[in-house]
Amino acid sequence: MLDMKNTIISLLLLLLAVSSCNSNDEPLPSGDMPLKYVDYCTIEGDGKSDFVFHGDDSPLYLKLTVAPSSSLSTLVESGVRRVQAAFELPKSFDTSLINQVDTVVVKNSVLLQLVPVETHDILSAMEADVAGVSSTDNTHIPSAIDAKGCRGFITLKGVYGYMVNSSDKTPVKVYMYVDESRCKSDVLALQLVYTREDIDGYDLLRYDARTDCFALKSLKSRYGSLSSVKVEIRSRGNLMTTLNLLGSDFTSPID
């Protein structure tokens, strides 16, 4: 745990290193260098008071409070709750807390950049059948994935094949559903597939990465009381990756 926390300290100090220079490109004194932090987060709040960005990095749990704004309120009202965000931390933030506790509240953080992350429900086997995504006839296997589960969500970066022309590409839709035949009392087996549209004039295949989030809420009653859950992610039966989650990871800050 300590090594992970030291890694996060390094991120706090080194991410977005451009901030270590002033407008004249002169290095700032180390004591004046603003701390920056980048993470996938879940947004809690409705804009009536500070928003709280719950960071995914684990085992350290950062809760970053951000003053409400009309643009952020509008984003949250539209349904966006999962984002990748960059913050500037207040000079008063005591980095020594990172090695003393497991949860740190960082008040008065400044939001520098925010990218919404598309969030999906994990489908049941029946829902996947109804949607037609459990069939191999119209679904595809990602070329590669990198997944992490924490605080109510699986965040997954995958490489998918897009049909393209000289200037555009057709959309893909990513699905995750429960593979009941492989589930056990402490094992959650999931299948990951995607579909893509075939449109005349889009006859070249190009592979690009994208990030999606999948909510674990629907599986909380099944796995949330366990101390440890093994999550296996397959695509058409091929094991892509495994994750080890706590039962508490099936609950998000906004459930």
Side-chain angles (χ1 to χ4, degrees):
M1 182 176 290
L2 183 59
D3 289 344
M4 177 64 75
K5 287 184 175 181
N6 286 335
T7 298
I8 293 173
I9 291 176
S10 298
L11 285 172
L12 287 168
L13 296 175
L14 296 177
L15 281 172
L16 302 178
V18 67
S19 65
S20 64
C21 295
N22 61 21
S23 59
N24 296 319
D25 293 330
E26 297 174 352
L28 291 170
S30 58
D32 294 332
M33 184 175 68
L35 297 177
K36 302 295 177 73
Y37 184 69
V38 178
D39 199 0
Y40 289 101
C41 303
T42 300
I43 306 175
E44 178 189 12
D46 56 11
K48 295 178 181 178
S49 58
D50 285 353
F51 287 98
V52 181
F53 286 70
H54 297 260
D56 278 4
D57 262 319
S58 183
L60 181 66
Y61 188 177
L62 282 185
K63 301 179 181 180
L64 304 107
T65 68
V66 174
S69 66
S70 58
S71 59
L72 188 51
S73 295
T74 299
L75 184 73
V76 170
E77 288 170 3
S78 74
V80 173
R81 291 286 182 170
R82 289 287 293 168
V83 298
Q84 185 178 31
F87 307 88
E88 182 177 307
L89 308 188
K91 290 184 179 180
S92 59
F93 176 62
D94 182 4
T95 58
S96 67
L97 289 173
I98 293 173
N99 280 330
Q100 299 173 21
V101 295
D102 292 328
T103 300
V104 179
V105 178
V106 185
K107 295 184 178 181
N108 303 317
S109 302
V110 176
L111 184 63
L112 300 177
Q113 188 175 20
L114 180 151
V115 178
V117 179
E118 191 168 345
T119 303
H120 317 273
D121 292 329
I122 295 176
L123 303 180
S124 67
M126 182 178 296
E127 289 170 332
D129 285 341
V130 171
V133 297
S134 56
S135 168
T136 60
D137 294 337
N138 63 341
T139 58
H140 304 275
I141 301 174
S143 297
I145 66 169
D146 181 26
K148 177 182 178 181
C150 184
R151 292 188 248 288
F153 296 93
I154 291 176
T155 302
L156 188 147
K157 185 174 183 179
V159 179
Y160 306 97
Y162 295 79
M163 300 308 297
V164 303
N165 61 17
S166 59
S167 61
D168 197 9
K169 63 183 181 182
T170 64
V172 302
K173 294 183 178 180
V174 183
Y175 300 88
M176 189 118 74
Y177 63 92
V178 180
D179 182 353
E180 292 291 354
S181 66
R182 290 187 169 91
C183 286
K184 299 178 182 178
S185 59
D186 60 349
V187 176
L188 170 59
L190 300 170
Q191 290 282 347
L192 174 73
V193 295
Y194 73 100
T195 61
R196 60 176 178 244
E197 295 184 21
D198 293 321
I199 301 176
D200 289 343
Y202 292 77
D203 51 6
L204 298 175
L205 184 63
R206 186 181 74 195
Y207 288 87
D208 282 333
R210 59 177 269 175
T211 300
D212 294 86
C213 286
F214 297 87
L216 290 162
K217 181 179 180 179
S218 63
L219 296 158
K220 176 182 176 180
S221 61
R222 186 170 176 177
Y223 294 100
S225 62
L226 301 180
S227 58
S228 178
V229 181
K230 182 180 181 181
V231 179
E232 300 174 342
I233 301 178
R234 292 179 172 82
S235 190
R236 290 194 186 171
N238 299 312
L239 184 62
M240 305 288 285
T241 191
T242 60
L243 308 172
N244 292 307
L245 303 186
L246 304 174
S248 59
D249 282 324
F250 286 76
T251 301
S252 83
I254 56 175
D255 285 346

